[in-house]
Amino acid sequence: MTRYIKLTMVMLMVSVLAVSCDDFLDVNTDPNRPTSAPYQGLMINTTLETARNTQRVSASTGYFFQHLVSPNAATSIDVHAPVSLGTIWSSIYFTMGDLAQIINQAEEQGATHYVGVAKVLQAYNLGLLVSTFGDVPYEEAFFAQTLTPKYDSDEALYGEILQLLADAIVALQSTQSLTSPGNDDLIFRGNRPAWLRTAHALRARYLNHYSKLPSYNPQQILTHIDNAFQSNAQDFQMAFFTENATVRNPWYNVALNNAGLLLGGWLSDQIIDHMNGTIYGVFDPRLPLITMADTSSGNFIGTRNGAGRGAARERFERTALEVGSFYASGPTAPLEMSTFVEMKFIEAEAALTLDPNRSFAAYEAGIRAHMTKLGVAQADIDAYWSNPEVSDRASFGRDKIMKEKYVAMFLNPETWNDARRYDYAYARWRIPANHNPDLGGQMIRRARYPDSEIQRNASQMPNKTLTDRLFWDVP
């Protein structure tokens, strides 16, 4: 009995101490220093970083789809060596981690419109990640108590992307939301119809990636196209907003650095010859708005991937992004993520067999809309369209669509997905000089996992090579 009383007394004292300790910790918790960021603050960061992630991906994969080229011979990424793209990996994961917090907090509080916007952004960032690397951690990547999250298959993650967008459409259509995004949304400033259009546009994009598979459903794509962007003014893009180097248009930074002889942003002869008349015999009036001609000859001259500039000067003899050109026009220039122009070319591809007249009309509309956006004079637009190489109906087909989309999606990372779906079948395509011999003359199909992941999570990492294809990229 005495032992029982003593044990009871000890347990009572422990309970009192525990309560006192809890009270003490409560007293010393600073209510002005929350342990998790509010979703409104996270929205500012995630909209900004989504745009920056777009450029981070294209600044690397642009060498694979040959919009970009290194001015120096045999640069690793230019020749498809197995480089570590750690900045892309970590930046996208940081953004998706913040978006996961927004979704959780907003769902708990009934902020349905925040949930919708965050799911669109989550789907977009996940799409960037999967399209670059293939299988990646997702299900266990954010809140699971593990330092070695399992890898989810790229096919399963495409299902997640499409589900996120479907959920976003439902959330954005809701009339009930505790609060809604406003100026904390740096892309659309809380414009809910704009986010709805974007969700449909991205559904169309990712469903179009299935073009090589039996499950490809062009009618479903066209339905989303009908609910997506209807003009250039509705594009999913973000205008940057200060002269500060960290929050101004990153392509402008590249052009500015190149002008200061910190070389970068040089353009491949593939995209230049695509536009200067070398390959197709028709000069594209968008070319002077994208880059600058050689000051001595007046010609637009690209650089072959992997070969470097040779004896050419560091500036003016080869094309590069130039300050004042459309995609590097200034520090606050918008950065495109998905556009009305892209929708027109997806529509042209999806409707090609279902409705050839609709396909051809969408193809023309895509060309004209892109030229209009870049500021091409109407007379030059009409002259370009009147060239049979562009507008001949008898020879119209997928090759023409992909040829024009390759220009209209300049510097957009989606172009690498197009190139792989198209099996790099652009006219006069060449593998880079000094190409990585381990690829056996094949073009790269996915990026190598970064060094940080190899060091921390190798036990979960699938055994993939640079020539292993994503699930939708069947031979």
Side-chain angles (χ1 to χ4, degrees):
M1 182 69 177
T2 304
R3 183 182 178 193
Y4 176 78
I5 293 171
K6 288 181 179 179
L7 181 60
T8 303
M9 292 290 291
V10 169
M11 292 178 66
L12 180 60
M13 290 174 68
V14 169
S15 299
V16 170
L17 286 172
V19 172
S20 299
C21 184
D22 286 344
D23 290 343
F24 176 79
L25 292 173
D26 287 343
V27 168
N28 286 275
T29 298
D30 185 351
N32 296 315
R33 300 182 66 182
T35 57
S36 62
Y39 55 80
Q40 293 92 336
L42 291 173
M43 182 60 68
I44 295 172
N45 186 62
T46 54
T47 46
L48 171 63
E49 289 303 310
T50 295
R52 286 159 57 99
N53 287 342
T54 303
Q55 192 271 342
R56 288 174 178 129
V57 173
S58 55
S60 293
T61 61
Y63 297 92
F64 306 155
F65 56 80
Q66 296 190 4
H67 282 179
L68 296 176
V69 64
S70 173
N72 302 311
T75 300
S76 295
I77 197 165
D78 205 13
V79 299
H80 306 168
V83 297
S84 176
L85 302 181
T87 299
I88 290 174
W89 181 277
S90 59
S91 297
I92 294 177
Y93 269 110
F94 282 137
T95 304
M96 291 201 303
D98 285 348
L99 287 165
Q101 286 195 48
I102 293 175
I103 293 168
N104 278 3
Q105 292 180 23
E107 284 181 337
E108 288 175 359
Q109 298 183 28
T112 311
H113 297 159
Y114 272 96
V115 173
V117 172
K119 287 192 173 185
V120 173
L121 293 171
Q122 189 77 302
Y124 180 82
N125 280 279
L126 182 57
L128 289 176
L129 190 71
V130 176
S131 296
T132 304
F133 297 100
D135 301 356
V136 296
Y138 181 78
E139 185 179 339
E140 296 182 355
F142 306 113
F143 301 115
Q145 299 300 310
T146 177
L147 296 176
T148 57
K150 72 177 182 68
Y151 278 62
D152 301 294
S153 74
D154 54 358
E155 185 170 8
L157 291 173
Y158 259 69
E160 177 68 16
I161 289 167
L162 294 171
Q163 188 60 56
L164 283 166
L165 293 169
D167 292 346
I169 289 169
V170 173
L172 290 165
Q173 288 174 331
S174 174
T175 58
Q176 302 295 320
S177 185
L178 175 70
T179 184
S180 300
N183 286 334
D184 53 338
D185 162 18
L186 301 182
I187 298 173
F188 288 128
R189 303 293 176 179
N191 185 327
R192 191 154 46 98
W195 282 109
L196 263 171
R197 289 190 290 267
T198 300
H200 283 289
L202 294 177
R203 286 270 300 181
R205 169 189 283 185
Y206 292 115
L207 287 168
N208 202 46
H209 289 180
Y210 290 71
S211 60
K212 290 182 172 184
L213 301 177
S215 58
Y216 183 61
N217 186 338
Q219 186 55 62
Q220 185 181 16
I221 293 167
L222 294 174
T223 299
H224 285 296
I225 292 288
D226 290 339
N227 290 283
F229 317 123
Q230 302 302 311
S231 72
N232 288 334
Q234 296 178 344
D235 288 349
F236 179 41
Q237 61 184 26
M238 198 192 85
F240 288 80
F241 40 87
T242 80
E243 285 280 354
N244 186 296
T246 61
V247 286
R248 66 189 179 198
N249 183 290
W251 290 123
Y252 173 77
N253 278 343
V254 171
L256 198 64
N257 289 340
N258 190 68
L261 300 185
L262 182 59
L263 301 184
W266 284 43
L267 303 185
S268 170
D269 62 356
Q270 178 64 33
I271 182 64
I272 297 303
D273 291 351
H274 203 93
M275 301 177 71
N276 67 8
T278 298
I279 295 178
Y280 296 103
V282 53
F283 182 82
D284 192 318
R286 289 169 285 192
L287 188 52
L289 301 172
I290 287 174
T291 186
M292 186 174 70
D294 170 19
T295 53
S296 59
S297 70
N299 297 322
F300 292 86
I301 305 171
T303 303
R304 184 180 175 188
N305 290 83
R309 69 184 185 277
R313 289 181 296 166
E314 291 177 323
R315 291 204 68 204
F316 305 123
E317 290 184 8
R318 296 289 185 271
T319 54
L321 281 179
E322 300 288 343
V323 173
S325 61
F326 180 81
Y327 293 93
S329 59
T332 61
L335 191 147
E336 298 175 344
M337 289 170 277
S338 183
T339 64
F340 169 67
V341 170
E342 179 190 359
M343 293 303 106
K344 289 291 103 179
F345 286 108
I346 292 175
E347 179 182 358
E349 187 178 356
L352 189 58
T353 56
L354 293 180
D355 187 346
N357 289 333
R358 177 176 180 175
S359 175
F360 190 73
Y363 164 77
E364 179 181 1
I367 294 171
R368 289 183 177 275
H370 189 241
M371 289 189 167
T372 298
K373 187 171 185 178
L374 266 61
V376 177
Q378 187 61 50
D380 292 335
I381 297 175
D382 293 338
Y384 182 79
W385 177 253
S386 68
N387 191 300
E389 175 60 39
V390 180
S391 58
D392 176 53
R393 184 64 184 269
S395 61
F396 173 69
R398 191 164 183 250
D399 289 341
K400 290 283 180 72
I401 295 168
M402 300 305 284
K403 173 242 179 185
E404 287 292 341
K405 191 180 181 187
Y406 186 69
V407 174
M409 298 291 286
F410 184 63
L411 296 181
N412 192 304
E414 178 63 13
T415 307
W416 193 27
N417 296 321
D418 284 339
R420 288 176 287 181
R421 289 192 307 109
Y422 192 46
D423 290 319
Y424 295 97
Y426 303 104
R428 300 192 195 178
W429 187 272
R430 299 183 293 180
I431 63 170
N434 305 299
H435 196 223
N436 176 8
D438 292 339
L439 273 62
Q442 298 182 61
M443 288 295 294
I444 190 169
R445 293 288 175 169
R446 71 171 72 211
R448 169 183 175 266
Y449 292 118
D451 289 339
S452 58
E453 189 67 3
I454 293 171
Q455 293 163 3
R456 291 190 301 237
N457 200 20
S459 63
Q460 298 284 0
M461 186 180 300
N463 183 21
K464 300 291 184 181
T465 71
L466 301 182
T467 55
D468 285 330
R469 297 168 180 247
L470 274 64
F471 79 96
W472 47 256
D473 184 20
V474 295

